[in-house]
Amino acid sequence: MKIDLLLFMRFVGLVVAVLAGSVNVASSQIMADYSSEDTTLYEYCSQYQILYTKIREQTITPDSARQEFSAIMRGLQNRFRSSETIPSDSAQRDSLRRLGTYFSFPIRGYTTSAIGGSHGEGYRGNGFDLFDYAVRGSHPAQDIFVVDRNQDNIDDKTGQPVDILAMSSGLVLAIETDWHPGSEYRGGNWIWIYDPILNGLFYYAHNNQVDVRPGQWVQAGQKIAEMGRSGYNAYKARSPTHLHLMYLQIQPDGLPQPLNTYSWLLTAKLSK
Ligand SMILES: [Zn+2]
């Protein structure tokens, strides 16, 4: 356990250093080649943001989107892997997760009882396709609800907005901050965060306010947003105020596979 923690701390320090360098370099480089070893982390963020916007606006075919996504993910993974501080095999990753300190519960002041359903059955992974915005019906996510009866994004118990916290440490890949009522986009103001240790993506949707920027490194438990009701369905009166939390495990081919975060949420560290 000691070794894992040490490894993790070294890794965090390294990422901060890499990021500090990348952002400076990014401003002087205009375009990136997906396969280039010179691609900075910040450029991967830009590529992801552009790609996800194209998917949402359906200006890219699902096949092309799949290819671009895979290239970005494999590039990102290589960038972090070359640091040699990332656990390289799944046994090491599993032991990290089992520490019980790896994940933070993503809502401050709430516990696992706020998770929709009684045993996390709100998760329906079948039929999900990240690359085809027209495909509907699946819900490869957990919804976590707060007490907000008058739907004003203010917690009825505290009189304050509800803080959304990063479940694990990672790189903020992309954000949306321009959602407005009437927009048909379902995620509202969302955040995508890449966790290089798990090699996966966390997606936090329906925020009222986004407090992070692409290229930023966040720690587990760090505030990244305030909960809201943004998103086509989330804005409707029939929808109680909640966080939509999705995790996509990146496969060896660079493509995403949704994974149920319920067991992670049950053991996550709570924040008051
Ligand atoms: Zn949801």
Side-chain angles (χ1 to χ4, degrees):
M1 181 185 283
K2 244 180 189 163
I3 291 165
D4 282 337
L5 270 177
L6 186 69
L7 188 77
F8 184 67
M9 293 314 291
R10 276 173 54 201
F11 160 71
V12 168
L14 183 121
V15 167
V16 171
V18 167
L19 271 179
S22 326
V23 176
N24 289 336
V25 175
S27 57
S28 60
Q29 293 181 346
I30 295 160
M31 214 17 234
D33 169 3
Y34 286 155
S35 61
S36 167
E37 286 183 9
D38 298 329
T39 305
T40 65
L41 291 178
Y42 188 80
E43 284 167 331
Y44 284 120
C45 298
S46 310
Q47 291 166 5
Y48 190 87
Q49 180 101 34
I50 291 166
L51 171 61
Y52 193 66
T53 303
K54 284 192 288 189
I55 293 170
R56 191 179 63 175
E57 292 172 352
Q58 296 177 277
T59 55
I60 185 169
T61 65
D63 273 349
S64 301
R66 215 167 271 124
Q67 275 174 25
E68 282 191 29
F69 180 95
S70 166
I72 294 170
M73 287 302 135
R74 280 177 295 156
L76 259 181
Q77 191 185 16
N78 284 335
R79 278 305 298 268
F80 281 99
R81 189 183 276 156
S82 63
S83 72
E84 289 177 2
T85 53
I86 297 286
S88 52
D89 62 64
S90 57
Q92 282 176 298
R93 287 200 298 268
D94 286 347
S95 77
L96 258 179
R97 286 196 296 244
R98 275 197 299 270
L99 282 178
T101 52
Y102 191 74
F103 294 111
S104 289
F105 196 75
I107 304 181
R108 191 193 306 284
Y110 280 80
T111 70
T112 53
S113 62
I115 302 169
S118 51
H119 300 95
E121 60 269 37
Y123 180 93
R124 299 187 307 275
N126 285 347
F128 173 72
D129 187 348
L130 179 69
F131 308 107
D132 191 344
Y133 202 74
V135 172
R136 303 194 179 200
S138 70
H139 185 261
Q142 291 292 341
D143 289 336
I144 311 177
F145 297 87
V146 300
V147 185
D148 176 21
R149 287 189 189 85
N150 63 351
Q151 305 191 338
D152 63 353
N153 298 329
I154 299 296
D155 189 329
D156 295 354
K157 296 190 296 184
T158 64
Q160 300 290 322
V162 181
D163 290 347
I164 303 295
L165 313 175
M167 269 200 77
S168 69
S169 300
L171 174 72
V172 179
L173 268 191
I175 59 170
E176 174 60 74
T177 57
D178 285 336
W179 187 89
H180 53 85
S183 163
E184 292 196 356
Y185 297 140
R186 285 167 273 161
N189 292 324
W190 40 253
I191 302 170
W192 283 98
I193 296 181
Y194 175 69
D195 177 331
I197 291 181
L198 302 180
N199 191 32
L201 297 168
F202 283 97
Y203 171 76
Y204 304 83
H206 308 323
N207 303 296
N208 184 43
Q209 174 185 308
V210 171
D211 292 336
V212 290
R213 293 292 172 265
Q216 187 180 340
W217 178 261
V218 295
Q219 304 285 355
Q222 181 179 333
K223 177 179 175 182
I224 55 172
E226 288 179 0
M227 187 183 284
R229 305 180 48 75
S230 61
Y232 182 69
N233 289 317
Y235 187 70
K236 293 177 179 171
R238 66 156 193 262
S239 174
T241 306
H242 68 279
L243 166 69
H244 173 97
L245 174 76
M246 176 169 71
Y247 175 80
L248 302 177
Q249 183 61 56
I250 305 305
Q251 306 297 296
D253 61 4
L255 294 175
Q257 179 74 40
L259 194 152
N260 191 347
T261 57
Y262 187 63
S263 61
W264 295 354
L265 288 167
L266 291 183
T267 59
K269 199 167 52 173
L270 303 175
S271 302
K272 286 180 185 162

